[in-house]
Amino acid sequence: MPKKPFYITTPIYYPSGNPHIGHCYTTVACDTIARYKRMQGYDVMFLTGTDEHGLKIEQKAAEKGITPKEYVDEIVKVFKNLWSYMNISYDRYIRTTDDYHVETVQKIFKDLYDKGYIYKGEYSGKYCTPCESFWTESQLVDGKCPECGRDVVEAKEEAYFFKMSPFAERIENLLTQTDYLRPKTRAVELVNNFIKPGLEDLCVSRTTFKWGIPVTFDEGHVVYVWIDALSNYISALGYCNSQFTDYDKFWPADVHMVAKDIMRFHAIIWPAMLMALDLPLPKHLAVHGWITFNGQKMSKSLGNVVDPFILGERYGADAIRYHILREMALGADSSFSNEIMINRINSDLANGLGNLVSRTVAMVVKYFDGTLITERAAGEFDDQLIDAATQLKDKVDEYIENTQLNNALAEIFQVVSRANKYIDETAPWVLAKEESNKPRLAGVLYNLLETIRICSSLLSSFMPSTMPKVWEQIGASEDSVSYDNAGKFGVLSLDVTVKKGEAIFPRIDVDKEIEALNSLISVNTQSDPQTPDAEPVAPEITIDDFCKSDLRVAKVVSCEKVKKSKKLLCLQLDDGMGGRQVVSGIAQWYAPEDLIGKKVIIVANLKPVTLCKTESYGMICCADMPDGSAKVLFADDSIAPGSKIR
């Protein structure tokens, strides 16, 4: 009987710089699901890759004096090295510079044009060159770009557009009436912010740069971003190309997994493209949050990145895999710090699983010379442990099916904790004092070995390098740790022989390790040749000039998108002075729910302006990033709203 197919994808990553641990979550999560599905007997296709076109790549290559292809080739090597190091078992790696992908994208673009969904038009308005963004007059702040504060110029650009509005009702139903989006709570945000105000047509070609896939029927145009990038999910299967023949077998995808900053493109634009092409829609879109530092998305330009190679060298790839999967709840952000990571490794892996394995194996060696006797005696607490272990597989199955990996791990480690408690309840060291208790002692230790076998079988998809070491220590054969046997108790032979080994997760000295790790990360960041230079300091001012700006701390009470604007958020603030409304051009980097409850710094005495028919009484302070993005400066939570900054 043929295996049932299962298709899972990461987004294709933009190789504008080396990957960091923030890139790892999606890939490790997809790898875990892919491994689990293979264990269940599915025929899995796991896809990842890189999105290699665009103006920023062209510019970065020019800065280095090399071609864009030479630039991305080097970065892709680093991505692939990291995935190898993290034990990522992808089946296919796609690059948007691959010839077969180019062929597919050009055919899709022409098909959509022939169907009447793509038309030629023109961008026109105020243009910010660093941000590559057009603005209306009302969106400007003091006549300048609302994102970066730089001057804008009048500009026009010929471009092709994809009609979105014909698909609005179907997409709204997809998001609200089906389980396509996970978590579904995101659907209301998407519908209210993008569909209800009216879906705007999407720019799908550019003429101001050359590094992209050429439009076959109009020289000078290259395909822009989303038709190029999103098409990878089907071009990698052979849609409209002869490189592969897997489309009929694996499409539609079972799971697309993405971070929340590209949720809109996968929840709205990608379904619209597929609808226009008359192709089946993916079954599920799983959206996760960001790994954050102090509430801010991990970013190389912020200097808060963590090199996963450094962490892996100290703790092993599996410990890093476990930490990021255990901390991240689907749809929510996960705060990262050295202390959180080390404490998690100590509590769960060293004190929990590692302690259970080493104690159990050591007692079998000490009391039975490494091989259990076959006589058994049951006793109190056995049934509770056995029930917990045998019911575990069904619970983990359900969480894997719903892409809730942190909950799956929590269930497994509840059983690990139960087993450690079982040791204290049965007190094997007391039983060992009487020869007549040997059958009962053998029964206790066998129950522990079986519980370890079941837990480690289910953990093998999460920590694929370490679990075989556990199996070797507890005397488990390859067959005994199969998926089918993960729901059974009594699989190990009665006279099982264990083999004492090194601690699978040694306990870490927290204070010393944090100090060492901070030092390593600091040195690594300072020596990173890709860390951008700071912008030149503005002309000198006097203290009197500075005092003209009244900077205050304010708490975000509520936040929502400004209608008919892709870039603006409207924030209601508790400023300690009765409250105020501020409009800020940060919507492409922050979702409204990311800001609620946070404390920000505002310019309180800025002259009021009207942006997109919405009044703004102040400005939120942000850091201007070298890549054109902006990062909000958050104030310490202990500072009261209204506090003056000096």
Side-chain angles (χ1 to χ4, degrees), residues 180-469:
Y180 171 68
L181 187 62
R182 295 175 174 173
K184 197 170 180 178
T185 51
R186 292 278 189 180
V188 174
E189 167 194 341
L190 289 166
V191 171
N192 289 343
N193 291 338
F194 300 105
I195 298 178
K196 293 295 187 187
L199 280 178
E200 297 182 8
D201 291 348
L202 178 72
C203 177
V204 291
S205 82
R206 297 294 297 273
T207 58
T208 51
F209 61 88
K210 301 297 181 185
W211 182 238
I213 297 174
V215 174
T216 55
F217 54 87
D218 198 339
E219 187 177 353
H221 285 260
V222 295
V223 180
Y224 183 50
V225 186
W226 294 111
I227 284 186
D228 179 3
L230 291 166
S231 297
N232 92 90
Y233 300 125
I234 51 179
S235 68
L237 299 178
Y239 180 81
C240 284
N241 69 67
S242 57
Q243 180 75 17
F244 301 110
T245 58
D246 303 306
Y247 175 82
D248 290 337
K249 179 178 181 179
F250 287 107
W251 191 257
D254 292 271
V255 178
H256 288 319
M257 185 173 286
V258 301
K260 63 182 179 181
D261 53 343
I262 56 173
M263 168 180 66
R264 175 169 64 93
F265 309 107
H266 288 77
I268 296 177
I269 296 172
W270 181 223
M273 284 175 55
L274 292 169
M275 290 171 185
L277 293 167
D278 295 318
L279 298 179
L281 302 182
K283 297 174 186 175
H284 299 293
L285 173 66
V287 180
H288 64 79
W290 294 328
I291 297 178
T292 64
F293 272 83
N294 299 320
Q296 293 180 304
K297 181 185 177 185
M298 196 173 295
S299 165
K300 198 170 197 65
S301 55
L302 277 176
N304 63 6
V305 301
V306 176
D307 188 333
F309 288 106
I310 289 179
L311 299 181
E313 285 172 4
R314 298 185 76 82
Y315 317 119
D318 276 2
I320 310 309
R321 286 174 63 110
Y322 175 80
H323 170 68
I324 59 178
L325 293 176
R326 182 67 180 85
E327 290 292 326
M328 179 81 78
L330 190 69
D333 289 346
S334 167
S335 181
F336 185 96
S337 74
N338 300 335
E339 187 171 6
I340 292 173
M341 177 186 64
I342 294 167
N343 284 333
R344 175 65 75 183
I345 292 172
N346 275 346
S347 64
D348 291 7
L349 300 183
N351 296 348
L353 180 62
N355 188 45
L356 175 63
V357 173
S358 62
R359 289 174 79 189
T360 302
V361 170
M363 287 189 289
V364 175
V365 171
K366 181 177 182 180
Y367 302 136
F368 293 98
D369 248 355
T371 300
L372 289 181
I373 60 173
T374 57
E375 291 181 80
R376 295 285 185 271
E380 191 181 4
F381 308 115
D382 290 2
D383 289 345
Q384 294 176 28
L385 179 64
I386 293 170
D387 287 347
T390 53
Q391 293 170 17
L392 182 58
K393 185 178 80 166
D394 290 342
K395 295 177 181 178
V396 174
D397 283 356
E398 184 175 354
Y399 284 126
I400 293 288
E401 191 63 32
N402 290 298
T403 56
Q404 296 175 350
L405 303 183
N406 65 314
N407 289 335
L409 285 171
E411 287 290 345
I412 295 171
F413 275 82
Q414 279 187 20
V415 177
V416 170
S417 296
R418 184 68 193 85
N420 274 316
K421 183 180 178 183
Y422 177 78
I423 294 177
D424 296 332
E425 291 169 335
T426 55
W429 50 90
V430 175
L431 294 172
K433 293 179 180 179
E434 299 289 339
E435 187 67 25
S436 60
N437 289 334
K438 279 295 182 75
R440 175 58 184 148
L441 178 59
V444 166
L445 296 178
Y446 182 81
N447 291 341
L448 289 168
L449 291 172
E450 273 291 88
T451 302
I452 293 169
R453 178 190 61 80
I454 290 172
C455 290
S456 59
S457 299
L458 297 172
L459 281 171
S460 63
S461 298
F462 297 86
M463 295 184 282
S465 298
T466 306
M467 293 310 107
K469 299 176 184 177

Side-chain angles (χ1 to χ4, degrees), residues 532-554:
D533 295 330
E535 292 201 10
V537 175
E540 289 183 352
I541 62 172
T542 67
I543 188 65
D544 292 334
D545 292 325
F546 174 76
C547 288
K548 292 177 183 178
S549 295
D550 189 351
L551 302 179
R552 302 286 181 123
V553 172

Side-chain angles (χ1 to χ4, degrees), residues 97-261:
T97 52
D98 290 335
D99 290 343
Y100 71 87
H101 176 75
V102 173
E103 179 185 357
T104 293
V105 170
Q106 289 179 326
K107 288 179 179 178
I108 286 175
F109 196 98
K110 182 64 162 59
D111 190 11
L112 293 173
Y113 178 78
D114 291 342
K115 288 173 180 284
Y117 290 119
I118 285 181
Y119 64 92
K120 184 182 281 189
E122 186 179 69
Y123 264 142
S124 97
K126 305 293 184 181
Y127 187 70
C128 175
T129 302
C131 294
E132 302 177 55
S133 299
F134 281 88
W135 303 99
T136 64
E137 191 73 45
S138 64
Q139 290 174 321
L140 301 178
V141 176
D142 294 335
K144 298 182 184 296
C145 172
E147 288 187 5
C148 69
R150 295 182 176 94
D151 291 330
V152 294
V153 296
E154 288 286 347
K156 292 183 179 180
E157 180 182 351
E158 184 181 83
Y160 283 93
F161 294 82
F162 174 57
K163 296 178 182 178
M164 295 288 294
S165 56
F167 311 104
E169 184 177 351
R170 288 176 64 187
I171 292 172
E172 182 174 349
N173 289 337
L174 174 71
L175 298 178
T176 60
Q177 305 300 319
T178 75
D179 64 346
Y180 171 68
L181 187 62
R182 295 175 174 173
K184 197 170 180 178
T185 51
R186 292 278 189 180
V188 174
E189 167 194 341
L190 289 166
V191 171
N192 289 343
N193 291 338
F194 300 105
I195 298 178
K196 293 295 187 187
L199 280 178
E200 297 182 8
D201 291 348
L202 178 72
C203 177
V204 291
S205 82
R206 297 294 297 273
T207 58
T208 51
F209 61 88
K210 301 297 181 185
W211 182 238
I213 297 174
V215 174
T216 55
F217 54 87
D218 198 339
E219 187 177 353
H221 285 260
V222 295
V223 180
Y224 183 50
V225 186
W226 294 111
I227 284 186
D228 179 3
L230 291 166
S231 297
N232 92 90
Y233 300 125
I234 51 179
S235 68
L237 299 178
Y239 180 81
C240 284
N241 69 67
S242 57
Q243 180 75 17
F244 301 110
T245 58
D246 303 306
Y247 175 82
D248 290 337
K249 179 178 181 179
F250 287 107
W251 191 257
D254 292 271
V255 178
H256 288 319
M257 185 173 286
V258 301
K260 63 182 179 181
D261 53 343

